């Protein structure tokens, strides 16, 4: 089950394809004029920014869940959208310390190829992950890494 709702101020075929690869499903009919993509509970909606903002406010008010605005950062958006509590595939990991060996950890061919290391992004290296203590990145760690807590949506229809 996906754990964190988010939206991005972009709407491309590539992003929609990546979401479907993560097992998101299109919720409503496709709007070719939509300038954003909104993800919640395993579904994605191409919407206009003003509608994304309204949806995020409603989810916060009604469910007490913060919806993460990713600006136009594709990597941050896919990292948040991939957060899932029942699988590790496509997840980001934080490398905690060097020197530990985890012989039973096996990377699947579909793993997302980027991991965090002490606040810096590193390319996937099988040895780096297998030989290091690591944990699945939390939403807060991803938000802090990409600086998403510093950006706010600006609704062009509501100046």
């Amino acid at each position: 089950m996906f754990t964190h709702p988010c939206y991005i101020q972009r709407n491309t075929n590539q992003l929609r394809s990546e979401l479907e690869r993560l097992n998101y499903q299109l919720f409503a009919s496709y709007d070719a004029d939509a300038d954003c993509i909104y993800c919640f509970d395993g579904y994605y909606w191409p919407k206009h920014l003003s509608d994304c903002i309204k949806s995020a406010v409603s989810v916060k008010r009604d469910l007490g869940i913060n919806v993460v605005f990713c600006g136009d950062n594709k990597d941050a958006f896919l990292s948040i959208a991939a957060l899932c509590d029942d699988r590790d595939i496509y997840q980001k990991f934080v490398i905690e310390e060097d020197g530990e060996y985890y012989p039973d950890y096996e990377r699947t061919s579909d793993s997302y190829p980027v991991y965090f290391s002490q606040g810096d992004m590193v390319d996937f290296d099988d040895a780096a992950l297998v030989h290091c203590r690591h944990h699945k990145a939390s939403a807060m760690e991803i938000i802090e890494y990409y600086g998403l807590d510093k950006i706010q949506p600006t609704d062009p229809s509501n100046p």
Side-chain angles (χ1 to χ4, degrees), residues 46-111:
K47 296 182 169 192
H48 294 281
L49 180 59
S50 58
D51 294 330
C52 286
I53 294 169
K54 289 174 192 169
S55 295
V57 169
S58 294
V59 167
K60 172 68 174 171
R61 181 189 64 235
D62 298 342
L63 302 176
I65 300 171
N66 288 323
V67 179
V68 178
F69 175 58
C70 298
D72 65 354
N73 189 324
K74 177 186 130 187
D75 293 332
F77 174 69
L78 292 173
S79 297
I80 294 291
L83 288 173
C84 195
D85 59 7
D86 59 352
R87 63 189 174 135
D88 288 345
I89 198 167
Y90 304 116
Q91 302 299 291
K92 303 286 195 232
F93 291 85
V94 175
I95 297 174
E96 298 170 2
E97 63 183 65
D98 293 337
E100 293 274 339
Y101 180 64
Y102 288 86
D104 56 348
Y105 181 85
E106 226 175 280
R107 176 180 179 247
T108 67
S109 62
D110 291 324
S111 299

Side-chain angles (χ1 to χ4, degrees), residues 112-124:
Y112 208 86
V114 179
Y115 294 86
F116 295 96
S117 175
Q118 302 167 359
D120 295 324
M121 194 66 92
V122 295
D123 290 332
F124 178 78

